[in-house]
Amino acid sequence: MSLKQQYINGKWVAAISGKTRDISNPFNQEVIATVPEGDESDAKAAIAAAREAFDNGEWSSTPATERGAIVRKIAELIERDKEELARLESLDTGKTVEESRGDMDDIAGVFRYYAELADKDGGELIDSPVPNGISRVVREPVGVCGQITPWNYPLLQASWKLAPALATGNTLIMKPSEITPLTTIKVFELMEEAGVPAGVANLVLGAGHKVGAELASNVDVDLISFTGGIVTGKKIMQAASVNVKKLALELGGKNPNIIFADADFDTAVDQALNGVFFHAGQICSAGTRLIVEERIHDEFVSALVERVKKFKLGSGFDEETQMGPLISAEHLEKVEKYVETGVKEGATLAVGGRCPEDPELQKGFFYLPTIFTDCTTDMAIVQEEAFGPVITVEKFRAEEEAVKLANDSIYGLAGGVWTNDIAKAERCVAKMRMGTVWINEFNLYFPHAPWGGFKQSGIGRELGKLGIEEYTETKHIFQNLKPEPINWF
Ligand code: NAD
């Protein structure tokens, strides 16, 4: 596989230490690529390049229309190479190629969206309360941005950070997850081809506690944008305090999906499954907490179980496959422990709860889709993120109880409500403490709408116009048209 290396100051380079890391396919553990394993010194070199590229002002003073054109070109190149990128993403993550193709369309869409927004904000004039004054508000790039991404949606998460940062004239250093760097490397090749100048966008590969920690703590980095787990997020927040960096955190979720008895039953069953088992549950917004009205609870669970038993697990490259493997042996172990905890806590295992026995799946990190019933909010399995194919089901009788259960979490990323009573749906979502709420829908997002969490699910918003604001500072410029002495002193 002809893959290039780290990208620092417009050059493809090996790690300074010379170390490398093998990247393997979670379906069969075959090594699919070997990439440099950077560390703090590589991160420092990239930060220096990004600092110089920002401070010389060439990129930030490039007309926004030209920056937008380069971002648009990146979208076009992603569309040109969509099939290659999709296959690479599936090799690296195990997800089905069909899912990866969908991801690539979304990713191109994110670059297109920010290309369009690049030159749309010319600032605003304020009616100055001071006579003979002109008061303007303009937005400027924040500066040097450190960007750290997770392994579940490697390139999608990268695009949410790269596109707005470039469109607004920042310079950046990206560190993808060390286990899934392949599509990010490829997109840096496309960014070079699109004409992003040397030093503006830099790519460093390697472990989080080395490369990521350097980005978070280095005083030459002005903003750190992180997507990943809550424990790492807290460390980054602490490290970023060293120079009071701007901070954007997209952390975990434990997302409730409320099903009322008056919902369209078959659609709610189908979408409840989709809301969790897509990408084997490795989605921050997966609707893993089903909260089902008592009247339909038993029937609803039976329908879920029947469907789950028919799921086809396998290679992401097999057209029949509906669910691929988990990302790694370590992650599989985490999911197994979580399920063991559920059993110990007294939840009832309705289906799954183990690895599949199919001989063809033994080299991959597969786990059967799993449903727990008789769950209560005091259980760890209801409170903690498994980040795997596991649903917990809770019961409710009254509307208020459903909302109370939904909000009983340290997280506040996303949630859903299924009902044909639209007034009831509106009453519920008004009280749900989450950054995104869906009515008769789950897991839908698009570049035009902001994404982010309430509570411990994060700080700030990606996507939408707010995604642009994240990468800009606001400056007020006041000009006195008739300066004269004040004669106070
Ligand atoms: P993780 O926190 O382990 O790692 C994320 C990234 O942080 C990786 O690139 C890793 O190398 C880096 N990192 C690790 N330690 C670091 C440190 N000390 N300093 C700086 N960087 C460090 O998360 P993960 O396991 O890769 O991803 C799964 C998590 O991501 C889940 O909790 C999921 O909910 C969350 N996630 C959230 C969103 C969202 O939009 N809110 C989207 C996707 C994933």
Side-chain angles (χ1 to χ4, degrees), residues 258 260 291 293 395-408 424 427-428 431-432:
I258 303 175
F260 282 100
I291 301 177
E293 192 165 349
K395 261 186 223 169
F396 73 93
R397 286 204 182 116
E399 180 184 322
E400 297 72 28
E401 189 191 356
V403 172
K404 192 163 176 283
L405 290 174
N407 282 335
D408 190 354
K424 182 160 69 180
R427 284 195 302 273
C428 288
K431 291 190 198 129
M432 286 164 72

Side-chain angles (χ1 to χ4, degrees), residues 149 151 157 175 178 208 212 226-229 232 251-252 284 385 387 451:
T149 53
W151 48 258
Q157 298 299 336
K175 190 210 93 66
E178 55 274 36
F226 168 77
T227 303
T232 317
L251 308 179
C284 55
E385 202 183 27
F387 220 57
W451 180 262

Side-chain angles (χ1 to χ4, degrees), residues 226 228-231 233-234 237 249-254 385 409-413 433-434 452-459:
F226 168 77
I230 193 167
V231 174
K234 286 180 183 175
M237 200 170 173
L249 298 177
E250 296 285 353
L251 308 179
K254 189 73 191 179
E385 202 183 27
S409 170
I410 60 163
Y411 293 109
L413 189 59
R433 305 281 301 153
M434 289 133 217
F454 281 27
K455 301 198 253 178
Q456 294 190 38
S457 285
I459 296 176

Side-chain angles (χ1 to χ4, degrees), residues 25-28 83 86-101 279-280 312-326 360-361 364-366:
N25 178 350
F27 170 68
N28 55 15
E83 193 56 25
R87 297 184 81 80
L88 207 51
E89 196 78 307
S90 286
L91 273 177
D92 210 352
T93 61
K95 68 167 73 173
T96 65
V97 189
E98 206 44 46
E99 279 183 62
S100 294
R101 288 188 187 115
H279 196 19
K312 171 93 174 71
L313 275 59
S315 158
F317 291 88
D318 179 345
E319 277 184 12
E320 305 269 286
T321 297
Q322 293 170 307
M323 207 175 94
L326 297 175
E360 289 189 11
L361 303 182
F365 308 119
F366 285 92

Side-chain angles (χ1 to χ4, degrees), residues 63-65 67-69 72 112-124 139 167-168 465 468:
T65 313
R67 286 200 307 262
R72 192 172 306 108
R112 280 193 187 283
Y113 176 76
Y114 284 112
E116 294 312 315
L117 281 193
D119 61 0
K120 297 299 177 291
D121 185 357
E124 67 173 323
R139 301 195 75 94
T168 45
K465 288 186 188 154
I468 282 271

